[in-house]
Amino acid sequence: MSDPIIPTDMGPLIPRNRAIHPVAYDVDYKTSVSRSPKWPLLSMESTPSEETGPRFGHSLLGPLDNNLILNFSKDPAKPAVGERILMHGRVLDENGRPVPHTLVEIWQANAGGRYRHIKDSYFAPLDPNFGGCGRTITDENGYYEFLTIRPGAYPWPNRANDWRPMHIHISVFGHSFAQRLITQMYFEGDPLIDHCPIAATIKSRSQLDRLVAPLDFSKSRPLDFLAYKFDIVLRGRRQTMFENKLEGM
Amino acid sequence: MVQKLDTLIETPSQTAGPYVHIGAIPSFAGNPGIYPEDLGLRAIEDGAQGDIITITGAVIDGTGWALRDAMIESWQADAAGKFPGQDGADPQVNGFCRFAADKDSGEFTLRTVKPGKTPMRGGGFQAPHIALWIVARGINIGLQTRIYFDDEDNSTDPLLKRIEQRPRAETLIAKKTGEGQYRFDIRLQGDNETVFLDM
């Protein structure tokens, strides 16, 4: 067996700016207390293990995968109940380039704040026509969209009277395993954001504001659904290819 | 006033929360059938070249309790050290796998092929390893770590060498428990806390 050779080198990943991310330990988000490492992270330049990653093709997707209003019931006569919204945006990297053909997954509670999960025992009822998950692959411009219903706020056992703001969980792959990101989208104007200890694990208010999606009438369809825009930025490469030559060479 | 940078800032992370399985592993959440099959069920397909191995472990919190709600993703090279998508990579190796800790025991199992050593930028090789990414309720940004193997030569691995506190390097090395069987526990906090990476 001959030694493997390094693949086309697109350059190392831009190191994460950890200051814009949430802290690991936050006593107000109680579960983080026993689940946060005490040692500092080991920092090192990325290697092919971080710079490569899985790719998922369009053949993976079913026609309703990004339509949460219909993908559980599969029946247009039985849509999910709630405020119909389009969630849309672009996936970009830190160099401002679109991230095309990458998998975006979402999951959320229903209009009453109830998750379809064996462990959720909140007494708000399940919607028989709502599953709460969706997925799509960005187009060549990094654009994605989901049709869904706006999730409700819900209480959770943290402090005595904590309620999560309305939110949609988002998982993005990018093209490198170390671009992997899970975050949450909040909704413009929701007063619960200011009271949420999970949102408050992000210590910079300006960074938290980047997770708040604005109402976007440009994409809402009259008499059908409202729209919210949510752009996502993934890590970029420290050197980028330009006409097949490394920059600066 | 200085010039304005035209670079963007990465989107801040948030915890995956307790219900990550709804979106990532719908069958585990009790919701089969939305998709034909959960994503990333298998790291390898039948016929993958190399040694087929099983790694068992748990994600353990600062009290010694195994998490029941963690989700783990793995990414690795094939037996020849090639990542899926690279020229000549083994088509039976998906490289990517997504798995949950068992909801009763907290144990996870990863069945895969033992990866080969992989080249470094600028020369040299990394010892065989599997990259992991761990998310769960209470984890605000996904934790990166790696599995190495105690029956491989890890002495020249650049990442392991970089760990200043030598005993901590042991936290990244899976222990062989039988033919093709390894044990790898991930300790989030406290005694023998696993080394987590910023790469």
Side-chain angles (χ1 to χ4, degrees):
Chain A
M1 188 177 72
S2 61
D3 281 338
I5 50 167
I6 199 159
T8 308
D9 189 353
M10 300 288 283
L13 291 158
I14 296 172
R16 276 205 154 102
N17 176 0
R18 298 266 167 183
I20 65 107
H21 284 290
V23 295
Y25 171 90
D26 189 330
V27 72
D28 289 330
Y29 176 27
K30 297 182 181 183
T31 312
S32 76
V33 170
S34 65
R35 297 184 173 193
S36 45
K38 290 191 170 153
W39 280 83
L41 304 174
L42 180 73
S43 295
M44 194 172 121
E45 182 164 86
S46 61
T47 75
S49 299
E50 291 74 39
E51 294 157 14
T52 57
R55 304 289 180 105
F56 304 100
H58 288 270
S59 62
L60 179 76
L61 301 179
L64 293 175
D65 279 8
N66 70 336
N67 182 343
L68 286 75
I69 292 175
L70 291 179
N71 71 5
F72 191 71
S73 74
K74 318 274 189 200
D75 179 353
K78 294 179 178 175
V81 170
E83 185 180 334
R84 297 160 66 91
I85 61 167
L86 179 80
M87 165 189 176
H88 75 101
R90 292 177 77 200
V91 181
L92 306 166
D93 71 17
E94 289 168 291
N95 297 311
R97 291 177 166 78
V99 182
H101 313 303
T102 193
L103 185 68
V104 180
E105 300 164 299
I106 65 169
W107 66 98
Q108 62 169 99
N110 68 22
R114 173 75 183 272
Y115 282 96
R116 187 174 286 279
H117 190 290
I118 42 178
K119 283 189 180 169
D120 188 358
S121 55
Y122 182 35
F123 54 72
L126 286 170
D127 177 344
N129 298 316
F130 186 72
C133 68
R135 61 186 183 183
T136 192
I137 291 175
T138 58
D139 71 10
E140 64 275 15
N141 298 311
Y143 183 80
Y144 74 91
E145 61 182 29
F146 291 97
L147 203 56
T148 185
I149 54 98
R150 185 146 84 151
Y154 60 85
W156 58 299
N158 190 58
R159 298 174 306 200
N161 192 18
D162 271 333
W163 291 72
R164 293 301 325 280
M166 301 177 283
H167 65 277
I168 295 177
H169 296 268
I170 306 152
S171 158
V172 193
F173 277 81
H175 297 158
S176 308
F177 194 53
Q179 282 180 307
R180 201 73 182 79
L181 182 74
I182 282 182
T183 189
Q184 300 180 28
M185 179 187 103
Y186 302 109
F187 290 86
E188 179 180 11
D190 185 346
L192 288 171
I193 297 169
D194 290 344
H195 299 275
C196 177
I198 289 179
T201 60
I202 297 173
K203 297 307 173 191
S204 159
R205 181 68 208 204
S206 62
Q207 294 304 325
L208 173 57
D209 285 344
R210 298 176 58 219
L211 300 186
V212 183
L215 182 63
D216 180 6
F217 277 116
S218 78
K219 288 280 185 178
S220 79
R221 180 180 290 171
L223 305 178
D224 191 346
F225 54 75
L226 282 170
Y228 286 86
K229 183 182 82 92
F230 192 71
D231 288 341
I232 299 160
V233 180
L234 302 180
R235 297 172 67 186
R237 301 288 190 139
R238 204 152 56 66
Q239 75 189 352
T240 52
M241 300 303 286
F242 182 70
E243 292 181 350
N244 297 324
K245 281 195 279 194
L246 294 178
E247 275 181 7
M249 293 180 74
Chain B
M1 193 67 179
V2 300
Q3 292 189 10
K4 196 174 179 321
L5 287 170
D6 58 4
T7 48
L8 303 176
I9 300 172
E10 189 185 13
T11 298
S13 171
Q14 290 273 263
T15 180
Y19 306 124
V20 57
H21 316 100
I22 294 173
I25 314 178
S27 300
F28 186 90
N31 305 334
I34 295 181
Y35 306 139
E37 180 178 281
D38 289 349
L39 189 78
L41 277 179
R42 293 171 298 277
I44 53 171
E45 304 294 338
D46 289 344
Q49 301 296 306
D51 296 332
I52 308 302
I53 60 171
T54 302
I55 303 163
T56 306
V59 182
I60 299 163
D61 74 8
T63 72
W65 172 251
L67 272 58
R68 268 66 172 173
D69 53 9
M71 184 186 84
I72 304 171
E73 292 179 352
S74 64
W75 174 244
Q76 64 170 96
D78 66 15
K82 289 191 167 133
F83 289 93
Q86 293 179 349
D87 284 347
D90 184 344
Q92 301 307 110
V93 173
N94 302 321
F96 175 73
C97 191
R98 182 183 253 184
F99 46 100
D102 184 86
K103 59 182 181 295
D104 296 318
S105 69
E107 297 253 313
F108 65 78
T109 302
L110 171 62
R111 181 177 176 274
T112 187
V113 67
K114 200 178 198 188
K117 60 182 182 178
T118 50
M120 286 286 287
R121 174 176 290 109
F125 288 87
Q126 304 193 81
H129 66 272
I130 298 172
L132 296 184
W133 190 68
I134 303 149
V135 295
R137 177 172 64 104
I139 297 175
N140 291 326
I141 178 167
L143 293 168
Q144 290 172 263
T145 189
R146 285 182 173 188
I147 303 174
Y148 288 85
F149 301 93
D150 70 350
D151 55 349
E152 293 285 340
D153 177 7
N154 296 312
S155 61
T156 60
D157 183 80
L159 183 143
L160 292 173
K161 280 203 298 189
R162 206 176 169 102
I163 300 173
E164 184 185 348
Q165 302 81 12
R166 298 312 302 155
R168 297 202 73 215
E170 284 299 310
T171 68
L172 298 187
I173 298 174
K175 303 293 180 285
K176 191 166 187 175
T177 56
E179 197 50 46
Q181 306 280 324
Y182 295 87
R183 178 81 197 180
F184 187 77
D185 287 324
I186 298 154
R187 295 178 193 279
L188 299 179
Q189 184 190 84
D191 290 344
N192 297 314
E193 179 177 305
T194 299
V195 173
F196 295 104
L197 310 175
D198 175 33
M199 295 178 73

